[in-house]
Amino acid sequence: MSNAPRLTALDALHRSLGATMTDFAGWDMPLRYGSERDEHNAVRTKAGLFDLSHMGEITVTGPQAADLLDYALVGNIGGVAVGRARYTMICQEDGGILDDLIVYRLGDTEYMVVANASNAQIVLDALTERSAGFDAEVRDDRDAYALIAVQGPESPGILKSLTDADLDGLKYYAGLPGTVAGVPALIARTGYTGEDGFELFVEPQHAEKLWQALTDAGAPAGLIPCGLSCRDTLRLEAGMPLYGHELTTALTPFDAGLGRVVKFEKTANGGRFVGREALEAAAERAGSNPPRKLVGLIAEGRRVPRAGYQVVVGGQVIGEVTSGAPSPTLGKPIAIAYVDAPHAAPGTEGVGVDIRGAHEPYEVVALPFYKRQK
C-alpha cells in the first residue's frame, strides 16, 4: 500500500500556478496560490475558483434507493424532489455524527451522496452495510468525478457566459445537468463560502479544460484561483460547521445546534432510521437542559484563538474553541466555540479565551459572523 497522497486531475495545473500544496485527508491539495487574504476577499467581493475533487461522491441507485437513504441518514431524503439537494447527516446508532453530507437527487431512483474527504470511506462503508435488505446499489464514484467550484457575487455572470443552462431558474441547493464550456457537468448551486456560487461535477478528463475556461471567462470580473486556507476562513465567517471541529462522533446533531436536520416525522421504513432512539433522547435533553451551545466569539485584541483553546469566565473553564482564525471581513480574530448554556447568550460579559496562559477578552455573538446581502 502506497502512503503517497492522492492527486486530483488538476494537480499539474496547481503546481504551474505556484500553489502551496498540503496533504489534506490523504489528498495533495492547494492551500493557497498567493495571499490567503486576497483569495478570501476575492470570493466575498468578486469570485474565486476552487478544486474540490477530494470530496467523496457515492452513488445510490435502485428501486429502494430512497428507502435505503431514509434508513441510513437522519434526513427525509425520499421527500427531496428530482433536481434538488439536501444537507443532512449520517449518524451512529448512539446518535454520534459520522459525517455531514449533501445528497443530490439526480433521478427517480438515483442519488449522489457527497461526503467529506476525510470521511468518504467511513460513509461508503456505513451505507454499504446499511443497504442490506434494500433493493438498492451503493457505488463508490470518487474516481468518476472532478469537482470545481466557482464562488462569489460575480459567479453567476461568469458561468452564464459559458453555458446555456437555466442558471436563473436554478435555486440554492438544486442541481441540473448541463454543458459548461463544452464539458458535460452536473451544475449545482451549492457551496461552503457563505456566497452565491456553483459546484460543477465533471469527468476528471475534462477538469483542466473547464478550469481554464472559467479562468479566462472570470478574469475580467476579478476571479482568481483559491485554496483550502481561504475556504476555511470563508466557511468560518459564514458559521458553517467543519467535520472534526464542530462535528464529531462525540456529538449529536442536537448538541451541534443542527437538530433541524433530523426528521423524526419521516414515514419510510415505518419511521425507523439508524440512531433514532438515541437522537430522540438527545432532542429531549436539548429541549429541556441543553449541554453546551455553539456560539461565535469576536476578539477585542489581536491574538488568534485556535481549536482546543479553553473558553473561560472568572478563571473557570466554560467551553472550548472548535475553530478560530483572523477574519478578513471583520478585521479581527474570530472563533466558533462550544460554551456552557448560561454563558451562550450574545453579549455575555466577562468571557475570555485562554491563549498561552493569558485570558484574552472576547465578545459572544450569534452565528453566523457574516451574511451576504441577497
Side-chain angles (χ1 to χ4, degrees):
M1 281 288 289
S2 164
N3 286 328
R6 297 177 69 176
L7 307 181
T8 78
L10 294 164
D11 183 74
L13 195 145
H14 298 316
R15 291 170 197 280
S16 74
L17 292 171
T20 300
M21 305 295 285
T22 187
D23 184 340
F24 183 82
W27 290 82
D28 217 9
M29 297 296 294
L31 191 61
R32 71 181 79 80
Y33 299 84
S35 151
E36 292 164 16
R37 179 179 294 269
D38 289 351
E39 291 174 22
H40 179 109
N41 290 335
V43 176
R44 284 278 177 260
T45 60
K46 300 182 180 86
L49 190 60
F50 296 84
D51 178 10
L52 304 180
S53 302
H54 60 310
M55 300 295 281
E57 296 87 5
I58 301 161
T59 304
V60 180
T61 56
Q64 291 188 303
D67 289 343
L68 162 57
L69 290 170
D70 274 330
Y71 169 71
L73 312 180
V74 301
N76 179 9
I77 308 304
V80 178
V82 173
R84 298 306 301 264
R86 182 150 299 166
Y87 176 76
T88 187
M89 294 183 186
I90 182 166
C91 289
Q92 301 178 145
E93 200 65 71
D94 67 1
I97 302 165
L98 280 174
D99 201 14
D100 61 335
L101 312 164
I102 296 180
V103 180
Y104 297 87
R105 188 167 194 169
L106 305 180
D108 282 340
T109 59
E110 184 180 6
Y111 294 81
M112 181 168 67
V113 177
V114 181
N116 285 297
S118 54
N119 294 327
Q121 189 64 47
I122 292 166
V123 174
L124 178 68
D125 292 345
L127 286 175
T128 303
E129 188 183 313
R130 295 174 189 187
S131 68
F134 289 95
D135 187 1
E137 183 199 348
V138 176
R139 189 172 72 231
D140 181 358
D141 268 348
R142 283 176 287 180
D143 293 335
Y145 292 103
L147 177 55
I148 295 174
V150 54
Q151 298 277 303
E154 298 288 344
S155 57
I158 294 167
L159 199 56
K160 267 183 201 172
S161 71
L162 296 173
T163 183
D164 55 8
D166 177 20
L167 297 188
D168 290 333
L170 188 64
K171 296 184 169 72
Y172 187 50
Y173 266 72
L176 84 171
T179 304
V180 182
V183 171
L186 172 67
I187 305 167
R189 199 165 207 151
T190 45
Y192 194 50
T193 62
E195 297 299 336
D196 192 9
F198 303 87
E199 296 183 322
L200 308 170
F201 295 85
V202 299
E203 289 181 32
Q205 70 201 46
H206 297 144
E208 209 163 305
K209 177 185 176 184
L210 180 58
W211 179 280
Q212 204 51 60
L214 287 162
T215 298
D216 295 345
L223 174 139
I224 61 172
C226 295
L228 291 180
S229 192
C230 82
R231 182 169 153 88
D232 192 49
T233 52
L234 289 160
R235 71 92 194 166
L236 181 54
E237 288 182 352
M240 295 175 166
L242 175 63
Y243 195 88
H245 289 254
E246 288 72 42
L247 309 174
T248 70
T249 50
L251 298 166
T252 73
F254 294 96
D255 296 328
L258 291 165
R260 65 179 182 276
V261 305
V262 181
K263 303 300 182 189
F264 293 120
E265 69 276 13
K266 57 182 173 178
T267 55
N269 312 304
R272 283 186 319 117
F273 61 90
V274 176
R276 177 171 189 133
E277 289 73 19
L279 290 168
E280 282 175 334
E284 205 168 306
R285 278 198 309 276
S288 56
N289 182 24
R292 288 182 162 178
K293 287 189 170 179
L294 201 58
V295 301
L297 298 173
I298 300 179
E300 292 179 22
R302 309 303 308 168
R303 298 182 75 184
V304 178
R306 297 296 181 194
Y309 285 12
Q310 292 178 334
V311 183
V312 291
V313 168
Q316 297 296 308
V317 176
I318 56 123
E320 186 176 297
V321 170
T322 52
S323 296
S327 164
T329 305
L330 275 64
K332 296 176 178 178
I334 59 173
I336 297 177
Y338 280 106
V339 301
D340 294 342
H343 303 282
T348 298
E349 299 283 317
V351 173
V353 175
D354 186 336
I355 301 181
R356 296 189 189 88
H359 291 182
E360 299 285 333
Y362 274 75
E363 179 191 355
V364 178
V365 298
L367 293 169
F369 299 97
Y370 166 85
K371 212 167 194 172
R372 73 181 170 98
Q373 303 302 307
K374 292 282 197 294

